[in-house]
C-alpha cells in the first residue's frame, strides 16, 4: 500500500510480503501479515469513493477478521491520495433498487449493509485501527469512526458531507460519534457538512492522534498490544462495547462474566506465570 499524502511528498508503504491469507474483493484488499489484517480501500483514482460492492465487501472483511482467532489487530487504510472520499453517487445512483435493499436491517445488531461497513468492526475481537490521510468524507469518516482508534496524517481533512446532498449520515455514525464527542459537535457537523482539519478532529475527540507517520504510530500500538494476552485484549474490547451506555447495573454483570472467563483461560495463566518470572509470555491462540 502506498498512500501519497497530498502536498507532503511523503508516502506510507508497509511491506508487501505476505505471510498469511491474502485476497482482493471489489476494490478492497485483505492481506494478513504477522498476525495483522491489512484491509485497504483500493480505488485510488477515485479517492477510494465507495461503490455498493465495496460497502458490502467491507462488512464481509470485518466478518472474516472476526472469525480469525490468529489475528492480533486490523489496520484499515486507503490506497492513493486519500483514505476515502465517501459514497460514489455516480455509481450508486444507478442501482436504486439495490440501495433500498441495502437499507433493510439484516444483522443481529440491527445494522443494514451500509451500517455494517462501519459498525461491523466493533464485533472484531482485536483492535481495529484506521490510518487516515487525505480526504475522509461522508461514508469514509463513518468507516473510520467504526474503528477502535484513528491515527491521522497532519494534512488529512474531514467532513460529514451528507449535508451537502440533503441527507443525514446513515453508515452507523449516530452510534459511533456519540462515544467520541459532544452532542453539540455532532449536530453542528451533521447539519453543516463543514470541512475540518486533523487538529480540529483531535480537539473534538474524533481522532486518537495526529502524526507525521500515522502508519508507524499504528504499528507501535499494535506491537504494544501483541505483548498482552489476546484473550484479555478481546475481553477488554467486549467489556466496553457491551457496557459503554449501560450504567453500573448492566455493566457490572458483563465485567464479572468476562473476568471469570479470563481467569479460567490458558492465556491468563501464561501472563501470570511470565509476570511472576519476569519473562516474555508466549501466548496461545485467542480463546475468547
Amino acid at each position: 500500500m502506498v498512500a501519497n499524502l497530498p502536498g507532503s511528498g511523503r508516502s506510507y508503504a508497509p511491506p508487501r510480503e505476505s505471510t498469511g491469507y491474502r485476497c482482493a474483493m471489489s476494490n478492497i484488499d485483505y492481506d494478513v501479515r504477522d498476525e495483522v489484517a491489512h484491509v485497504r480501500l483500493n480505488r485510488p483514482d477515485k479517492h477510494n469513493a465507495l461503490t455498493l460492492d465495496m460497502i458490502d465487501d467491507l462488512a464481509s472483511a470485518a466478518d472474516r477478521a472476526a472469525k480469525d482467532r490468529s489475528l492480533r489487530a486490523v489496520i484499515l487504510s486507503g490506497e492513493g491520495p486519500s483514505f476515502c472520499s465517501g459514497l460514489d453517487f455516480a455509481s450508486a445512483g444507478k442501482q436504486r433498487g439495490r440501495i433500498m435493499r441495502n437499507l433493510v436491517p439484516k444483522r443481529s445488531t440491527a445494522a443494514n449493509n451500509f451500517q455494517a461497513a462501519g459498525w461491523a468492526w466493533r464485533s472484531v475481537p482485536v483492535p481495529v485501527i484506521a490510518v487516515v490521510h487525505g480526504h475522509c468524507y461522508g461514508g469514509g469518516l463513518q468507516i473510520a469512526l467504526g474503528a477502535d482508534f484513528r491515527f491521522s496524517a497532519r494534512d488529512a481533512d474531514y467532513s460529514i458531507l451528507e449535508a451537502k446532498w440533503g441527507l443525514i449520515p446513515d453508515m452507523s455514525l449516530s452510534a459511533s460519534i456519540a462515544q467520541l464527542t459532544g452532542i453539540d459537535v455532532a449536530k453542528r457537523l451533521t447539519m453543516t457538512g463543514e470541512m475540518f482539519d486533523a487538529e480540529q478532529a483531535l480537539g473534538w475527540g474524533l481522532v486518537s492522534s495526529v502524526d507525521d507517520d500515522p502508519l508507524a504510530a499504528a504499528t507501535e500500538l499494535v506491537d504494544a498490544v501483541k505483548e498482552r494476552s489476546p484473550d484479555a485484549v478481546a475481553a477488554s474490547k467486549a467489556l466496553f462495547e457491551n457496557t459503554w451506555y449501560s450504567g453500573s447495573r448492566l455493566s457490572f454483570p458483563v465485567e464479572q462474566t468476562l473476568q471469570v472467563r479470563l481467569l479460567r483461560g490458558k492465556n491468563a495463566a501464561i501472563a501470570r506465570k511470565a509476570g511472576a518470572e519476569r519473562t516474555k509470555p508466549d501466548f496461545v491462540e485467542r480463546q475468547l
Side-chain angles (χ1 to χ4, degrees), residues 187-251:
K187 288 177 178 178
R188 168 182 167 176
L189 297 179
T190 303
M191 291 173 179
T192 66
E194 66 187 79
M195 303 287 179
F196 53 99
D197 62 21
E199 290 296 336
Q200 185 61 77
L202 182 64
W204 279 327
L206 299 179
V207 300
S208 309
S209 70
V210 178
D211 302 279
D212 292 325
D213 189 340
L215 178 62
T219 302
E220 184 176 348
L221 175 59
V222 170
D223 289 343
V225 167
K226 283 184 175 181
E227 295 294 321
R228 304 305 178 196
S229 161
D231 291 317
V233 171
S236 297
K237 182 167 178 175
L239 172 64
F240 294 117
E241 290 299 329
N242 286 287
T243 65
W244 198 251
Y245 303 106
S246 301
S248 60
R249 188 165 175 266
L250 296 176
S251 298

Side-chain angles (χ1 to χ4, degrees), residues 69 125 229-239 242 252-270 272 284-288:
R69 292 180 178 272
S229 161
D231 291 317
V233 171
S236 297
K237 182 167 178 175
L239 172 64
N242 286 287
F252 287 174
V254 175
E255 187 178 294
Q256 295 157 7
T257 299
L258 288 169
Q259 189 73 308
V260 168
R261 291 181 65 186
L262 287 173
L263 288 169
R264 291 175 175 173
K266 295 180 180 179
N267 280 317
I270 292 169
R272 290 194 298 271
V284 300
E285 190 174 77
R286 175 172 53 84
Q287 305 297 300
L288 268 63

Side-chain angles (χ1 to χ4, degrees), residues 5-130:
L5 296 186
S8 70
R10 296 192 59 187
S11 65
Y12 302 119
R16 289 185 174 274
E17 293 79 5
S18 177
T19 57
Y21 179 87
R22 186 171 189 174
C23 74
M25 293 172 272
S26 60
N27 301 112
I28 302 293
D29 293 340
Y30 186 105
D31 184 15
V32 178
R33 298 190 303 272
D34 299 323
E35 301 175 304
V36 178
H38 294 266
V39 181
R40 296 184 296 274
L41 284 68
N42 190 3
R43 201 177 177 221
D45 57 319
K46 299 293 186 180
H47 289 265
N48 295 316
L50 297 165
T51 65
L52 296 185
D53 285 341
M54 290 172 70
I55 288 169
D56 290 348
D57 285 343
L58 277 166
S60 295
D63 292 342
R64 184 186 301 277
K67 295 173 183 176
D68 188 347
R69 292 180 178 272
S70 69
L71 289 183
R72 298 304 310 270
V74 175
I75 294 180
L76 299 173
S77 62
E79 294 276 5
S82 293
F83 176 74
C84 178
S85 59
L87 182 66
D88 185 338
F89 279 93
S91 170
K94 300 174 184 178
Q95 305 175 70
R96 293 192 176 187
R98 185 174 174 187
I99 288 176
M100 298 308 295
R101 290 193 297 273
N102 279 4
L103 288 171
V104 177
K106 298 178 180 179
R107 291 166 173 255
S108 59
T109 59
N112 60 34
N113 281 13
F114 291 110
Q115 293 162 331
W119 198 250
W121 301 103
R122 299 299 183 96
S123 299
V124 179
V126 299
V128 178
I129 307 168

